[in-house]
Every structure is written in structure tokens, then in C-alpha cells.
Amino acid sequence: MTMHPLRSCFSVLFVVYLLQCKLFFVHCILDPLDFLALQSVRKSLDDMPGSNFFASWDFTSDPCNFAGVYCESDRVIALNLGDPRAGSPGLIGRLDPAIGKLSSLTELSVVPGRIMGSLPQSISQLKDLRFLAISRNFLSGGIPATLGQLRNLKTLDLSYNQLTGDIPRSIGTIPGLSNVILSHNRISGSVPPFLSETLTRLELKHNELSGSISPTSLPPSLQYLSLSWNRLSGPVDLLLIRLDRLNYLDLSVNQFSGCIPSRIFTFPITNLQLQRNSFSGPVQPGGEVAIPTVDLSYNRLSGGVSPMFSTVQNLYLNNNRFIGQVPGSFVDRLMDASIQVLYLQHNYLTGMQINPTVEIPLSSSLCLQYNCMVPPIQTPCPLKAGKQRTRPTAQCNEWRG
């Protein structure tokens, strides 16, 4: 009976390992399958110039003492590939499918480097995996739908790669997901429903996602939501009013439409980014807005500027269709330097009651140009505001009409 070549290779390698252990009086207990899997992982990867991560990976010694390898009993439970120190050059090569043989693995991470090729389907065999992070490399191809079989997964971070295709719906069904970070790839298709009631962070920015998002597709547990720089569209008001635990929201540079719900301004958000969409209608918060930074610029918002926004430190309302007078509360807070940025340019505003001789605090920026008024005070504006101080009268009359 002829022995299978792989089994023969494994037998020789593991016998050598055991002989070396006895020779050097090392207590070696690593499971044979884990030993062989680590060897395959090592053969498919190398240190980039300047990295010495694999210097300790000497298979004549106990692999549980290798850099980035963590064992419990006779199994590898965590594999952190690459030097985690800031500025480390990282690794180069591909992820060997044998990594799926590390069946007790709960954590798998790879530092930024030049890991290429696709994400091995075999990773879906790691049923105990809770943490999967392979960001800032060159992974390509699709996200395996079989990752949905990782029912214990808490964190999935595949950001800053070259992944394509859609986000498999199976990933959204993982019950205990806490963090999904897939930003800066080339992922297309729609945003699937996420059913996890513990999901707190969802980052999908800088992809090619499109379509609308169902009001019930994201759980109320979300605290951090970033969908910017995609091609997503449709209304989001019914979705947003459910996400009242958000402390960060960035939907900028999409094609979202409809109204901005006033309730969103009561959420514990520190940074609200809704710029460069197609939101329309008036914006009327129910009370003073405590969000430090609010950016609603480059939309189709209309009506008057609410005085409730005067408590915002950095407020961007430029390039909309706001009309009427700027409320006096903005002037008061500008003068006491409570407002750091107030951008109102490129609207249809008709006045602001401010003394033309007053000096705005150096720490504050105000821009009023290209409205239906001569700016009562001359202040430096960003270059994108252009050189025209006022909007043509014909445009203002047409808008009033």
C-alpha cells in the first residue's frame, strides 16, 4: 500500500519535529495538523525588506514560541502575522489555504503589507474564529459567501484591499457581529441586511455600493456608521430615526434623497457628515443642537436657517437653497468664538445683522458670499467659494418667485 505524498511529507516533518524536541529537551505538544499548517503558512509568506517577523519561526523549536503564534494546550488559538509595531514593512506573499486547518483558531490578523491573491475559502472552516482582520494589503477577488459559516465571528476587517463583488448576505446573518469594516475596496451591489443585535460599527466607505437601504436593514445597536463615497440612493429618514445610539454618522458623497429627520440632531453624535447628497426640504431641529460638527453642505436643503444650529461649533450649510435672514444668535456666538466655522456661502440668504466694522475672532471662520445680499462683513472664504461676492439678482428674483 502506497502512502499518500502529503501524509508522507507530514510524517517526515512531524517526526523531525519530535526528534528535535527530544534532542533539545523541549516540551513539544503542538497538534500535528497545526504544525503542518504553520509550515504551509510560512512557505507562502516572506518578510518584506526591513521586517524580521519570521526570524523566530524555526521549526526545530516549539512553534508555540514563534512570534505571533499563541497556543492553548496543544492547539494554536491565535495567529497574528507580521510585526504589529507602527511603520513595520509587513509581509509579502499569499495566504495558504492550509490556514483553515488551524481548527481551534479564534483570532487571525495580518499587519499591513503586500499580501496578494484571494481570501482562502478554507477560512470558513475556522468555526471558533471571533476576530478576522486583514487590512491594508492587496487581497483581490470576492468576499467568500462561506464566511457566513463563522457563526462566532465578532469582528471582520478587510478594509484597504482590492476586493470586488458584493457583500454576501450570509455575513449579515452572523448573530454576534460587533464590527464590520470593509471600507476602501471595490465592492459593489447593495448593502445587505445585518441581523446582529450587537453590531456597533459598520464601515463601508469608499466602495462602489449602490441602491437604497431598507429602513429595517440595520440594527438600532449601531454606534458608528460610515457609508461615504459610494453610489447609494433613496431616502434614509425612516432608517436614521431608529439608530438613536449613533455617535458618528457619515453618509457623505452619495445620492441619498428625501428629508433629514429632525430627531437625528438629538442623537449623541460628535460628527455628522451628510454633505454632497440630494437631501431636500427644510431642516428644523427640535432644540439646540449639541453636535460639535455638522456638515449638510452641497444638498438641496431649503427654508430658513434654524437658530438651533447656532450652538454647533463647526457648521457647514453652504451650497444649498436656504433663504431669509441669518438668525442673530449666530452673530452672538461668532463674536464670543463659540462658533469656529460657519459656512453659509452659495445659498439665497438675504441678510445678517452684524456690524460691518466688527472683527471676527481669529479662531472663527465665516463665509457669506454668493447669496442674495452684499456680505455685510468681508471675511476670507475657501477657494471653492469662487470670487463672486453676490448671487445675480435674476437668480434671487426667480427663487423668490
mmCIF file of all heavy atoms in Angstrom, residues 299-305 317-326 344-352 368-374 389-401:
data_model
loop_
_atom_site.group_PDB
_atom_site.id
_atom_site.type_symbol
_atom_site.label_atom_id
_atom_site.label_comp_id
_atom_site.label_asym_id
_atom_site.label_seq_id
_atom_site.Cartn_x
_atom_site.Cartn_y
_atom_site.Cartn_z
ATOM 1 N N ASN A 299 -26.268 70.069 -0.780
ATOM 2 C CA ASN A 299 -27.514 69.336 -0.887
ATOM 3 C C ASN A 299 -28.552 70.234 -1.546
ATOM 4 O O ASN A 299 -28.186 71.196 -2.246
ATOM 5 C CB ASN A 299 -27.973 68.865 0.501
ATOM 6 C CG ASN A 299 -27.282 67.578 0.926
ATOM 7 O OD1 ASN A 299 -27.561 66.499 0.403
ATOM 8 N ND2 ASN A 299 -26.366 67.683 1.900
ATOM 9 N N ARG A 300 -29.822 69.974 -1.340
ATOM 10 C CA ARG A 300 -30.897 70.802 -1.902
ATOM 11 C C ARG A 300 -31.826 71.278 -0.784
ATOM 12 O O ARG A 300 -33.035 71.376 -0.966
ATOM 13 C CB ARG A 300 -31.675 69.989 -2.940
ATOM 14 C CG ARG A 300 -30.800 69.533 -4.106
ATOM 15 C CD ARG A 300 -31.535 68.583 -5.032
ATOM 16 N NE ARG A 300 -30.670 68.087 -6.099
ATOM 17 C CZ ARG A 300 -31.025 67.154 -6.985
ATOM 18 N NH1 ARG A 300 -32.241 66.632 -6.923
ATOM 19 N NH2 ARG A 300 -30.186 66.763 -7.917
ATOM 20 N N LEU A 301 -31.227 71.526 0.369
ATOM 21 C CA LEU A 301 -31.994 71.934 1.540
ATOM 22 C C LEU A 301 -32.525 73.350 1.360
ATOM 23 O O LEU A 301 -31.868 74.200 0.763
ATOM 24 C CB LEU A 301 -31.123 71.826 2.794
ATOM 25 C CG LEU A 301 -30.567 70.418 3.055
ATOM 26 C CD1 LEU A 301 -29.535 70.437 4.169
ATOM 27 C CD2 LEU A 301 -31.693 69.444 3.374
ATOM 28 N N SER A 302 -33.706 73.621 1.911
ATOM 29 C CA SER A 302 -34.363 74.917 1.689
ATOM 30 C C SER A 302 -34.979 75.431 2.979
ATOM 31 O O SER A 302 -34.841 74.827 4.050
ATOM 32 C CB SER A 302 -35.427 74.772 0.596
ATOM 33 O OG SER A 302 -36.369 73.772 0.959
ATOM 34 N N GLY A 303 -35.683 76.573 2.885
ATOM 35 C CA GLY A 303 -36.275 77.188 4.055
ATOM 36 C C GLY A 303 -35.266 78.046 4.790
ATOM 37 O O GLY A 303 -34.172 78.318 4.294
ATOM 38 N N GLY A 304 -35.619 78.494 5.977
ATOM 39 C CA GLY A 304 -34.741 79.350 6.753
ATOM 40 C C GLY A 304 -33.684 78.560 7.512
ATOM 41 O O GLY A 304 -33.826 77.352 7.742
ATOM 42 N N VAL A 305 -32.613 79.257 7.902
ATOM 43 C CA VAL A 305 -31.573 78.655 8.733
ATOM 44 C C VAL A 305 -32.068 78.677 10.180
ATOM 45 O O VAL A 305 -32.345 79.737 10.733
ATOM 46 C CB VAL A 305 -30.242 79.419 8.612
ATOM 47 C CG1 VAL A 305 -29.212 78.866 9.593
ATOM 48 C CG2 VAL A 305 -29.711 79.330 7.183
ATOM 49 N N LEU A 317 -23.339 74.773 6.015
ATOM 50 C CA LEU A 317 -24.644 74.778 5.352
ATOM 51 C C LEU A 317 -24.535 75.311 3.930
ATOM 52 O O LEU A 317 -25.556 75.563 3.274
ATOM 53 C CB LEU A 317 -25.640 75.643 6.140
ATOM 54 C CG LEU A 317 -25.955 75.197 7.580
ATOM 55 C CD1 LEU A 317 -26.961 76.140 8.224
ATOM 56 C CD2 LEU A 317 -26.468 73.765 7.607
ATOM 57 N N ASN A 318 -23.319 75.501 3.460
ATOM 58 C CA ASN A 318 -23.097 76.104 2.142
ATOM 59 C C ASN A 318 -23.594 75.217 1.008
ATOM 60 O O ASN A 318 -23.777 74.011 1.159
ATOM 61 C CB ASN A 318 -21.603 76.405 1.947
ATOM 62 C CG ASN A 318 -20.721 75.207 2.179
ATOM 63 O OD1 ASN A 318 -20.514 74.788 3.321
ATOM 64 N ND2 ASN A 318 -20.177 74.647 1.107
ATOM 65 N N ASN A 319 -23.837 75.874 -0.133
ATOM 66 C CA ASN A 319 -24.262 75.196 -1.360
ATOM 67 C C ASN A 319 -25.570 74.441 -1.164
ATOM 68 O O ASN A 319 -25.668 73.242 -1.410
ATOM 69 C CB ASN A 319 -23.159 74.273 -1.879
ATOM 70 C CG ASN A 319 -21.922 75.043 -2.315
ATOM 71 O OD1 ASN A 319 -21.101 75.428 -1.478
ATOM 72 N ND2 ASN A 319 -21.800 75.299 -3.612
ATOM 73 N N ASN A 320 -26.559 75.184 -0.684
ATOM 74 C CA ASN A 320 -27.913 74.680 -0.553
ATOM 75 C C ASN A 320 -28.876 75.723 -1.105
ATOM 76 O O ASN A 320 -28.479 76.532 -1.963
ATOM 77 C CB ASN A 320 -28.219 74.349 0.912
ATOM 78 C CG ASN A 320 -27.709 72.972 1.306
ATOM 79 O OD1 ASN A 320 -28.263 71.950 0.899
ATOM 80 N ND2 ASN A 320 -26.647 72.941 2.120
ATOM 81 N N ARG A 321 -30.110 75.759 -0.597
ATOM 82 C CA ARG A 321 -31.115 76.713 -1.086
ATOM 83 C C ARG A 321 -31.774 77.444 0.078
ATOM 84 O O ARG A 321 -32.972 77.745 0.035
ATOM 85 C CB ARG A 321 -32.155 75.965 -1.928
ATOM 86 C CG ARG A 321 -31.540 75.273 -3.149
ATOM 87 C CD ARG A 321 -32.527 74.367 -3.863
ATOM 88 N NE ARG A 321 -31.899 73.709 -5.009
ATOM 89 C CZ ARG A 321 -32.501 72.800 -5.786
ATOM 90 N NH1 ARG A 321 -33.760 72.451 -5.522
ATOM 91 N NH2 ARG A 321 -31.870 72.253 -6.796
ATOM 92 N N PHE A 322 -31.008 77.695 1.126
ATOM 93 C CA PHE A 322 -31.549 78.389 2.293
ATOM 94 C C PHE A 322 -31.881 79.844 1.939
ATOM 95 O O PHE A 322 -31.174 80.481 1.150
ATOM 96 C CB PHE A 322 -30.553 78.353 3.453
ATOM 97 C CG PHE A 322 -30.409 76.977 4.069
ATOM 98 C CD1 PHE A 322 -29.225 76.266 3.948
ATOM 99 C CD2 PHE A 322 -31.458 76.402 4.780
ATOM 100 C CE1 PHE A 322 -29.087 75.008 4.514
ATOM 101 C CE2 PHE A 322 -31.337 75.150 5.349
ATOM 102 C CZ PHE A 322 -30.153 74.439 5.214
ATOM 103 N N ILE A 323 -32.931 80.346 2.575
ATOM 104 C CA ILE A 323 -33.400 81.713 2.301
ATOM 105 C C ILE A 323 -33.535 82.489 3.616
ATOM 106 O O ILE A 323 -33.423 81.927 4.707
ATOM 107 C CB ILE A 323 -34.755 81.703 1.562
ATOM 108 C CG1 ILE A 323 -35.822 81.017 2.431
ATOM 109 C CG2 ILE A 323 -34.626 81.025 0.210
ATOM 110 C CD1 ILE A 323 -37.238 81.091 1.868
ATOM 111 N N GLY A 324 -33.784 83.788 3.489
ATOM 112 C CA GLY A 324 -34.101 84.617 4.647
ATOM 113 C C GLY A 324 -32.876 85.148 5.362
ATOM 114 O O GLY A 324 -31.743 85.081 4.862
ATOM 115 N N GLN A 325 -33.115 85.699 6.556
ATOM 116 C CA GLN A 325 -32.066 86.298 7.368
ATOM 117 C C GLN A 325 -31.326 85.225 8.179
ATOM 118 O O GLN A 325 -31.919 84.219 8.585
ATOM 119 C CB GLN A 325 -32.682 87.309 8.340
ATOM 120 C CG GLN A 325 -33.254 88.548 7.674
ATOM 121 C CD GLN A 325 -32.237 89.668 7.573
ATOM 122 O OE1 GLN A 325 -31.335 89.781 8.387
ATOM 123 N NE2 GLN A 325 -32.395 90.508 6.562
ATOM 124 N N VAL A 326 -30.044 85.480 8.414
ATOM 125 C CA VAL A 326 -29.282 84.634 9.318
ATOM 126 C C VAL A 326 -29.661 85.036 10.747
ATOM 127 O O VAL A 326 -29.564 86.215 11.105
ATOM 128 C CB VAL A 326 -27.762 84.809 9.112
ATOM 129 C CG1 VAL A 326 -26.986 83.941 10.098
ATOM 130 C CG2 VAL A 326 -27.381 84.470 7.673
ATOM 131 N N LEU A 344 -21.881 79.631 5.042
ATOM 132 C CA LEU A 344 -23.234 79.849 4.533
ATOM 133 C C LEU A 344 -23.236 80.266 3.063
ATOM 134 O O LEU A 344 -24.275 80.650 2.525
ATOM 135 C CB LEU A 344 -23.929 80.930 5.374
ATOM 136 C CG LEU A 344 -24.091 80.611 6.869
ATOM 137 C CD1 LEU A 344 -24.630 81.821 7.616
ATOM 138 C CD2 LEU A 344 -24.999 79.409 7.070
ATOM 139 N N GLN A 345 -22.085 80.205 2.416
ATOM 140 C CA GLN A 345 -21.971 80.664 1.036
ATOM 141 C C GLN A 345 -22.812 79.804 0.086
ATOM 142 O O GLN A 345 -23.160 78.683 0.380
ATOM 143 C CB GLN A 345 -20.498 80.665 0.588
ATOM 144 C CG GLN A 345 -19.826 79.295 0.462
ATOM 145 C CD GLN A 345 -19.170 78.830 1.739
ATOM 146 O OE1 GLN A 345 -19.499 79.293 2.821
ATOM 147 N NE2 GLN A 345 -18.229 77.906 1.615
ATOM 148 N N HIS A 346 -23.119 80.407 -1.065
ATOM 149 C CA HIS A 346 -23.866 79.726 -2.132
ATOM 150 C C HIS A 346 -25.229 79.252 -1.646
ATOM 151 O O HIS A 346 -25.592 78.086 -1.731
ATOM 152 C CB HIS A 346 -23.046 78.565 -2.709
ATOM 153 C CG HIS A 346 -21.931 79.023 -3.609
ATOM 154 N ND1 HIS A 346 -21.989 78.965 -4.983
ATOM 155 C CD2 HIS A 346 -20.732 79.577 -3.308
ATOM 156 C CE1 HIS A 346 -20.864 79.462 -5.492
ATOM 157 N NE2 HIS A 346 -20.083 79.837 -4.492
ATOM 158 N N ASN A 347 -25.986 80.190 -1.090
ATOM 159 C CA ASN A 347 -27.385 79.972 -0.758
ATOM 160 C C ASN A 347 -28.196 81.139 -1.322
ATOM 161 O O ASN A 347 -27.745 81.811 -2.267
ATOM 162 C CB ASN A 347 -27.559 79.856 0.763
ATOM 163 C CG ASN A 347 -27.216 78.454 1.255
ATOM 164 O OD1 ASN A 347 -27.958 77.509 1.034
ATOM 165 N ND2 ASN A 347 -26.078 78.324 1.944
ATOM 166 N N TYR A 348 -29.364 81.413 -0.755
ATOM 167 C CA TYR A 348 -30.203 82.529 -1.195
ATOM 168 C C TYR A 348 -30.540 83.428 -0.002
ATOM 169 O O TYR A 348 -31.623 84.001 0.078
ATOM 170 C CB TYR A 348 -31.484 81.997 -1.862
ATOM 171 C CG TYR A 348 -31.223 81.280 -3.165
ATOM 172 C CD1 TYR A 348 -30.802 79.958 -3.179
ATOM 173 C CD2 TYR A 348 -31.382 81.930 -4.394
ATOM 174 C CE1 TYR A 348 -30.552 79.281 -4.366
ATOM 175 C CE2 TYR A 348 -31.135 81.274 -5.589
ATOM 176 C CZ TYR A 348 -30.718 79.951 -5.570
ATOM 177 O OH TYR A 348 -30.472 79.304 -6.744
ATOM 178 N N LEU A 349 -29.608 83.517 0.947
ATOM 179 C CA LEU A 349 -29.815 84.303 2.158
ATOM 180 C C LEU A 349 -29.862 85.796 1.828
ATOM 181 O O LEU A 349 -29.162 86.265 0.926
ATOM 182 C CB LEU A 349 -28.705 84.012 3.167
ATOM 183 C CG LEU A 349 -28.628 82.541 3.623
ATOM 184 C CD1 LEU A 349 -27.366 82.290 4.414
ATOM 185 C CD2 LEU A 349 -29.865 82.172 4.433
ATOM 186 N N THR A 350 -30.672 86.541 2.595
ATOM 187 C CA THR A 350 -30.897 87.955 2.264
ATOM 188 C C THR A 350 -30.320 88.933 3.284
ATOM 189 O O THR A 350 -30.371 90.142 3.060
ATOM 190 C CB THR A 350 -32.405 88.219 2.122
ATOM 191 O OG1 THR A 350 -33.083 87.750 3.301
ATOM 192 C CG2 THR A 350 -32.958 87.500 0.902
ATOM 193 N N GLY A 351 -29.749 88.443 4.377
ATOM 194 C CA GLY A 351 -29.178 89.389 5.328
ATOM 195 C C GLY A 351 -28.620 88.733 6.569
ATOM 196 O O GLY A 351 -28.946 87.592 6.905
ATOM 197 N N MET A 352 -27.758 89.507 7.242
ATOM 198 C CA MET A 352 -27.198 89.098 8.535
ATOM 199 C C MET A 352 -26.905 90.367 9.322
ATOM 200 O O MET A 352 -26.154 91.229 8.862
ATOM 201 C CB MET A 352 -25.921 88.270 8.348
ATOM 202 C CG MET A 352 -25.318 87.753 9.631
ATOM 203 S SD MET A 352 -23.864 86.696 9.300
ATOM 204 C CE MET A 352 -23.550 86.046 10.941
ATOM 205 N N LEU A 368 -19.936 84.185 3.703
ATOM 206 C CA LEU A 368 -21.303 84.566 3.338
ATOM 207 C C LEU A 368 -21.481 84.817 1.849
ATOM 208 O O LEU A 368 -22.590 85.134 1.406
ATOM 209 C CB LEU A 368 -21.710 85.836 4.097
ATOM 210 C CG LEU A 368 -21.878 85.729 5.616
ATOM 211 C CD1 LEU A 368 -22.051 87.110 6.224
ATOM 212 C CD2 LEU A 368 -23.054 84.836 5.965
ATOM 213 N N GLN A 369 -20.436 84.715 1.064
ATOM 214 C CA GLN A 369 -20.520 85.190 -0.313
ATOM 215 C C GLN A 369 -21.421 84.327 -1.188
ATOM 216 O O GLN A 369 -21.743 83.192 -0.866
ATOM 217 C CB GLN A 369 -19.132 85.305 -0.924
ATOM 218 C CG GLN A 369 -18.411 84.013 -1.220
ATOM 219 C CD GLN A 369 -17.013 84.299 -1.755
ATOM 220 O OE1 GLN A 369 -16.286 85.108 -1.221
ATOM 221 N NE2 GLN A 369 -16.641 83.609 -2.820
ATOM 222 N N TYR A 370 -21.833 84.926 -2.304
ATOM 223 C CA TYR A 370 -22.736 84.339 -3.283
ATOM 224 C C TYR A 370 -24.088 83.990 -2.668
ATOM 225 O O TYR A 370 -24.587 82.875 -2.746
ATOM 226 C CB TYR A 370 -22.121 83.109 -3.957
ATOM 227 C CG TYR A 370 -22.649 82.909 -5.376
ATOM 228 C CD1 TYR A 370 -22.274 83.763 -6.402
ATOM 229 C CD2 TYR A 370 -23.531 81.880 -5.674
ATOM 230 C CE1 TYR A 370 -22.755 83.601 -7.689
ATOM 231 C CE2 TYR A 370 -24.031 81.701 -6.942
ATOM 232 C CZ TYR A 370 -23.633 82.566 -7.950
ATOM 233 O OH TYR A 370 -24.118 82.395 -9.227
ATOM 234 N N ASN A 371 -24.655 84.980 -1.985
ATOM 235 C CA ASN A 371 -26.027 84.919 -1.510
ATOM 236 C C ASN A 371 -26.789 86.094 -2.125
ATOM 237 O O ASN A 371 -26.245 86.837 -2.952
ATOM 238 C CB ASN A 371 -26.067 84.988 0.018
ATOM 239 C CG ASN A 371 -25.863 83.616 0.645
ATOM 240 O OD1 ASN A 371 -26.756 82.778 0.638
ATOM 241 N ND2 ASN A 371 -24.665 83.379 1.196
ATOM 242 N N CYS A 372 -28.036 86.273 -1.727
ATOM 243 C CA CYS A 372 -28.856 87.365 -2.256
ATOM 244 C C CYS A 372 -28.693 88.617 -1.405
ATOM 245 O O CYS A 372 -29.682 89.227 -0.950
ATOM 246 C CB CYS A 372 -30.318 86.929 -2.330
ATOM 247 S SG CYS A 372 -30.577 85.544 -3.472
ATOM 248 N N MET A 373 -27.441 88.960 -1.147
ATOM 249 C CA MET A 373 -27.123 90.152 -0.362
ATOM 250 C C MET A 373 -25.655 90.483 -0.587
ATOM 251 O O MET A 373 -24.871 89.632 -1.008
ATOM 252 C CB MET A 373 -27.349 89.887 1.127
ATOM 253 C CG MET A 373 -26.461 88.778 1.694
ATOM 254 S SD MET A 373 -26.656 88.589 3.469
ATOM 255 C CE MET A 373 -25.703 87.076 3.751
ATOM 256 N N VAL A 374 -25.297 91.713 -0.317
ATOM 257 C CA VAL A 374 -23.889 92.074 -0.263
ATOM 258 C C VAL A 374 -23.393 91.664 1.121
ATOM 259 O O VAL A 374 -23.986 92.071 2.128
ATOM 260 C CB VAL A 374 -23.680 93.589 -0.472
ATOM 261 C CG1 VAL A 374 -22.214 93.946 -0.308
ATOM 262 C CG2 VAL A 374 -24.198 94.000 -1.840
ATOM 263 N N ARG A 389 -19.023 87.912 -5.120
ATOM 264 C CA ARG A 389 -19.472 88.234 -3.767
ATOM 265 C C ARG A 389 -20.965 87.999 -3.595
ATOM 266 O O ARG A 389 -21.424 87.593 -2.528
ATOM 267 C CB ARG A 389 -19.136 89.684 -3.436
ATOM 268 C CG ARG A 389 -17.640 89.954 -3.313
ATOM 269 C CD ARG A 389 -17.389 91.423 -3.027
ATOM 270 N NE ARG A 389 -18.035 91.833 -1.776
ATOM 271 C CZ ARG A 389 -18.318 93.098 -1.467
ATOM 272 N NH1 ARG A 389 -18.044 94.067 -2.326
ATOM 273 N NH2 ARG A 389 -18.888 93.395 -0.312
ATOM 274 N N THR A 390 -21.738 88.286 -4.644
ATOM 275 C CA THR A 390 -23.197 88.163 -4.534
ATOM 276 C C THR A 390 -23.758 87.324 -5.674
ATOM 277 O O THR A 390 -23.175 87.233 -6.756
ATOM 278 C CB THR A 390 -23.884 89.538 -4.557
ATOM 279 O OG1 THR A 390 -23.577 90.176 -5.794
ATOM 280 C CG2 THR A 390 -23.393 90.403 -3.409
ATOM 281 N N ARG A 391 -24.904 86.743 -5.419
ATOM 282 C CA ARG A 391 -25.597 85.958 -6.441
ATOM 283 C C ARG A 391 -26.295 86.922 -7.401
ATOM 284 O O ARG A 391 -26.811 87.969 -6.970
ATOM 285 C CB ARG A 391 -26.620 85.047 -5.760
ATOM 286 C CG ARG A 391 -27.353 84.094 -6.695
ATOM 287 C CD ARG A 391 -28.322 83.213 -5.925
ATOM 288 N NE ARG A 391 -27.645 82.186 -5.137
ATOM 289 C CZ ARG A 391 -27.234 81.009 -5.615
ATOM 290 N NH1 ARG A 391 -27.422 80.726 -6.902
ATOM 291 N NH2 ARG A 391 -26.646 80.141 -4.832
ATOM 292 N N PRO A 392 -26.352 86.625 -8.701
ATOM 293 C CA PRO A 392 -27.046 87.501 -9.651
ATOM 294 C C PRO A 392 -28.498 87.763 -9.231
ATOM 295 O O PRO A 392 -29.201 86.860 -8.777
ATOM 296 C CB PRO A 392 -26.977 86.716 -10.969
ATOM 297 C CG PRO A 392 -25.766 85.851 -10.830
ATOM 298 C CD PRO A 392 -25.698 85.488 -9.380
ATOM 299 N N THR A 393 -28.936 88.999 -9.401
ATOM 300 C CA THR A 393 -30.282 89.411 -8.989
ATOM 301 C C THR A 393 -31.362 88.561 -9.656
ATOM 302 O O THR A 393 -32.376 88.226 -9.029
ATOM 303 C CB THR A 393 -30.507 90.900 -9.333
ATOM 304 O OG1 THR A 393 -29.480 91.673 -8.701
ATOM 305 C CG2 THR A 393 -31.862 91.371 -8.849
ATOM 306 N N ALA A 394 -31.136 88.210 -10.913
ATOM 307 C CA ALA A 394 -32.129 87.413 -11.634
ATOM 308 C C ALA A 394 -32.371 86.068 -10.946
ATOM 309 O O ALA A 394 -33.515 85.610 -10.840
ATOM 310 C CB ALA A 394 -31.672 87.196 -13.074
ATOM 311 N N GLN A 395 -31.309 85.458 -10.469
ATOM 312 C CA GLN A 395 -31.452 84.180 -9.759
ATOM 313 C C GLN A 395 -32.237 84.363 -8.467
ATOM 314 O O GLN A 395 -33.084 83.543 -8.109
ATOM 315 C CB GLN A 395 -30.086 83.580 -9.463
ATOM 316 C CG GLN A 395 -29.350 83.050 -10.689
ATOM 317 C CD GLN A 395 -28.064 82.328 -10.290
ATOM 318 O OE1 GLN A 395 -27.873 81.934 -9.148
ATOM 319 N NE2 GLN A 395 -27.181 82.164 -11.260
ATOM 320 N N CYS A 396 -31.937 85.444 -7.764
ATOM 321 C CA CYS A 396 -32.624 85.694 -6.490
ATOM 322 C C CYS A 396 -34.114 85.959 -6.719
ATOM 323 O O CYS A 396 -34.973 85.450 -5.980
ATOM 324 C CB CYS A 396 -31.981 86.863 -5.772
ATOM 325 S SG CYS A 396 -30.269 86.530 -5.242
ATOM 326 N N ASN A 397 -34.422 86.739 -7.730
ATOM 327 C CA ASN A 397 -35.833 87.036 -8.041
ATOM 328 C C ASN A 397 -36.572 85.778 -8.461
ATOM 329 O O ASN A 397 -37.721 85.566 -8.079
ATOM 330 C CB ASN A 397 -35.920 88.096 -9.144
ATOM 331 C CG ASN A 397 -35.442 89.474 -8.670
ATOM 332 O OD1 ASN A 397 -35.456 89.735 -7.455
ATOM 333 N ND2 ASN A 397 -35.062 90.315 -9.590
ATOM 334 N N GLU A 398 -35.919 84.969 -9.250
ATOM 335 C CA GLU A 398 -36.531 83.718 -9.710
ATOM 336 C C GLU A 398 -36.818 82.806 -8.529
ATOM 337 O O GLU A 398 -37.874 82.176 -8.458
ATOM 338 C CB GLU A 398 -35.599 83.036 -10.716
ATOM 339 C CG GLU A 398 -36.148 81.740 -11.274
ATOM 340 C CD GLU A 398 -35.180 81.073 -12.226
ATOM 341 O OE1 GLU A 398 -34.199 81.733 -12.647
ATOM 342 O OE2 GLU A 398 -35.379 79.894 -12.545
ATOM 343 N N TRP A 399 -35.878 82.758 -7.573
ATOM 344 C CA TRP A 399 -36.051 81.879 -6.425
ATOM 345 C C TRP A 399 -37.180 82.400 -5.517
ATOM 346 O O TRP A 399 -37.968 81.619 -4.998
ATOM 347 C CB TRP A 399 -34.735 81.802 -5.646
ATOM 348 C CG TRP A 399 -34.754 80.735 -4.590
ATOM 349 C CD1 TRP A 399 -34.741 80.898 -3.246
ATOM 350 C CD2 TRP A 399 -34.821 79.320 -4.804
ATOM 351 N NE1 TRP A 399 -34.790 79.697 -2.602
ATOM 352 C CE2 TRP A 399 -34.836 78.707 -3.545
ATOM 353 C CE3 TRP A 399 -34.878 78.525 -5.952
ATOM 354 C CZ2 TRP A 399 -34.891 77.323 -3.389
ATOM 355 C CZ3 TRP A 399 -34.940 77.141 -5.795
ATOM 356 C CH2 TRP A 399 -34.941 76.560 -4.538
ATOM 357 N N ARG A 400 -37.259 83.743 -5.365
ATOM 358 C CA ARG A 400 -38.342 84.305 -4.544
ATOM 359 C C ARG A 400 -39.698 84.070 -5.204
ATOM 360 O O ARG A 400 -40.697 83.851 -4.529
ATOM 361 C CB ARG A 400 -38.136 85.818 -4.375
ATOM 362 C CG ARG A 400 -36.926 86.171 -3.492
ATOM 363 C CD ARG A 400 -36.964 87.653 -3.136
ATOM 364 N NE ARG A 400 -35.727 88.070 -2.500
ATOM 365 C CZ ARG A 400 -34.772 88.747 -3.111
ATOM 366 N NH1 ARG A 400 -34.901 89.101 -4.374
ATOM 367 N NH2 ARG A 400 -33.671 89.090 -2.451
ATOM 368 N N GLY A 401 -39.667 84.108 -6.537
ATOM 369 C CA GLY A 401 -40.917 83.915 -7.239
ATOM 370 C C GLY A 401 -41.418 82.505 -7.176
ATOM 371 O O GLY A 401 -42.610 82.253 -7.211
#
